[in-house]
Amino acid sequence: MTAGYIAARLKLSWSSMTAAESNATLTQNSTTASGSSSSGGSSGSSTSVTSDDTGIKIKADSYVFDDDVTFTTAALTSGDDYDTAAGLVEGDFTLYSISAEDENGDEVSPDGVAEVYIPVIEAYGENVVIYRVVSEEGSEAYLTELEYEISEDGQYYVLTVKEFGLFAVVPTEETEEITEEIEDVEEETETDGQLFDDIDGHWAEEYIIRAAEMGLFSGIDENSFGPDIATTRAMFVTVLGRLKGIDTDKYYEVGFNDVNSDDYFYSYIGYAAANDIVKGMDEDTFAPYSNITREQMALILCKFAESEGIELKTIYSTNFTDSNEISSWAEESVNALAAAGIINGRTDGSFDPKDEATRAEIAVMLLRFTDEYM
């Protein structure tokens, strides 16, 4: 019989194994070694690298990264990434960039999870808040708070992550001060009516101010709303969840491969999916960072109304010049919202269904909806 080999990856649970006798040998079909082949977590880590510059350690099981992957870590004190973080976290913070690249120089993510060990910052101590700074092209940057533990030796903040990127470490006391300062700024701006610098004279100014005061929207930075910026699918679902006032701790199972539990919109998408308000682009993909179109927006809002038991009124007649361009699955929703006076067409009489919905358009639509029905 000719010997052969099978290409395979094996996970071993060290905690469930028993030691063999010192004189034992292991051959094919031997039962000397016992145990299961379930995942053993990080205890069987075979990737372990430490940066000389930052002191950051990365640990992972052998199947998580290919052998040719190289890791890069850096403490950032300037540049575009640092400026983005500074616009989101005011006050003291330390920003790290962590990445992995294959032999072609292409950035890769863990095929599973990896542990990141960030040295405890003496000036901050063990009680900090650690954020992932997310900045996607075409979308506003935001922070996602990450869970961490202190290593047994007290030397590291330990994170378990599914992807690398920018990580901001913020001292807790400083974070509390930042929150108080932001609340003070919001109170002052609400008093003088000047919430944002970029909406003065905008056609949706009144609606934007009200939507922000209701907590449905935040600015893209401290002074700007970005009224004409396109809205992503995740952002729109988040706004609807805020309008509903959902308990973000209630919705956990999302079921889309591109929505992670540490994403700020995770619970909102979970709520919307559970109530049949949204569906994915396919069974496994939600496309949270894709910009939402006007017809998609109409369909989702109608689904939201249905979930609330709201029956839209018929007040106006509708006759868009490009009605033949509205997708069949959205036609009923577009006409229903237009007939109820919730959504308008363009000045030329068209609806423009495939165009991206802006933040201003969504603010106006939701305020009209809430004024009439909520």
Side-chain angles (χ1 to χ4, degrees), residues 76 81-82 84-85 95-98 131-135 146 164-168:
L76 306 182
D81 288 337
Y82 185 85
T84 296
L95 183 66
Y96 296 103
S97 171
I98 304 175
Y131 296 106
R132 184 194 306 282
V133 182
V134 183
S135 180
L146 304 177
F164 295 143
L166 299 174
F167 298 87

Side-chain angles (χ1 to χ4, degrees), residues 89-104:
V89 183
E90 295 183 7
D92 192 18
F93 69 95
T94 300
L95 183 66
Y96 296 103
S97 171
I98 304 175
S99 62
E101 295 182 348
D102 61 20
E103 60 181 353
N104 299 317

Side-chain angles (χ1 to χ4, degrees), residues 92 94 96 118-130 148-151 154-158 169-174:
D92 192 18
T94 300
Y96 296 103
I118 299 176
V120 168
I121 301 171
E122 184 176 355
Y124 296 175
E126 295 184 356
N127 296 319
V128 298
V129 179
I130 300 180
Y148 71 92
E149 296 179 349
I150 299 297
S151 61
Q155 299 299 306
Y156 297 92
Y157 311 115
V158 184
V169 182
V170 183
T172 303
E173 292 183 0
E174 187 70 27

Side-chain angles (χ1 to χ4, degrees), residues 136-314:
E136 299 286 344
E137 185 176 354
S139 301
E140 59 183 286
Y142 59 88
L143 299 175
T144 297
E145 185 174 345
L146 304 177
E147 294 183 359
Y148 71 92
E149 296 179 349
I150 299 297
S151 61
E152 290 185 3
D153 60 9
Q155 299 299 306
Y156 297 92
Y157 311 115
V158 184
L159 306 168
T160 301
V161 301
K162 296 179 180 179
E163 57 183 328
F164 295 143
L166 299 174
F167 298 87
V169 182
V170 183
T172 303
E173 292 183 0
E174 187 70 27
T175 303
E176 293 175 353
E177 292 174 4
I178 291 170
T179 301
E180 293 174 358
E181 291 173 2
I182 292 175
E183 289 174 350
D184 290 342
V185 170
E186 288 178 347
E187 184 177 350
E188 291 173 4
T189 54
E190 287 176 13
T191 300
D192 62 21
Q194 297 298 319
L195 283 174
F196 305 108
D197 294 340
D198 59 349
I199 62 172
D200 187 28
H202 193 278
W203 64 270
E205 179 180 4
E206 176 187 348
Y207 293 96
I208 291 170
I209 291 174
R210 290 179 56 203
E213 289 176 345
M214 290 171 63
L216 301 181
F217 281 91
S218 301
I220 59 174
D221 58 40
E222 184 178 343
N223 301 311
S224 304
F225 180 78
D228 300 317
I229 292 176
T231 308
T232 65
R233 288 165 52 81
M235 288 167 57
F236 184 51
V237 171
T238 297
V239 172
L240 288 179
R242 290 171 179 167
L243 179 61
K244 172 66 175 175
I246 69 164
D247 179 1
T248 56
D249 293 329
K250 182 178 179 180
Y251 300 94
Y252 295 102
E253 297 299 328
V254 170
F256 299 115
N257 294 337
D258 57 352
V259 178
N260 299 317
S261 58
D262 57 358
D263 291 327
Y264 80 92
F265 45 75
Y266 181 86
S267 294
Y268 295 104
I269 292 177
Y271 147 75
N275 288 276
D276 199 31
I277 297 170
V278 296
K279 296 185 182 299
M281 305 303 286
D282 55 44
E283 184 177 349
D284 300 318
T285 306
F286 183 76
Y289 299 109
S290 295
N291 293 333
I292 195 167
T293 64
R294 285 167 55 82
E295 63 180 6
Q296 289 175 344
M297 172 184 69
L299 176 65
I300 293 174
L301 183 58
C302 276
K303 290 288 188 180
F304 175 78
E306 290 176 13
S307 72
E308 293 295 301
I310 294 173
E311 185 176 347
L312 298 175
K313 301 175 182 178
T314 301

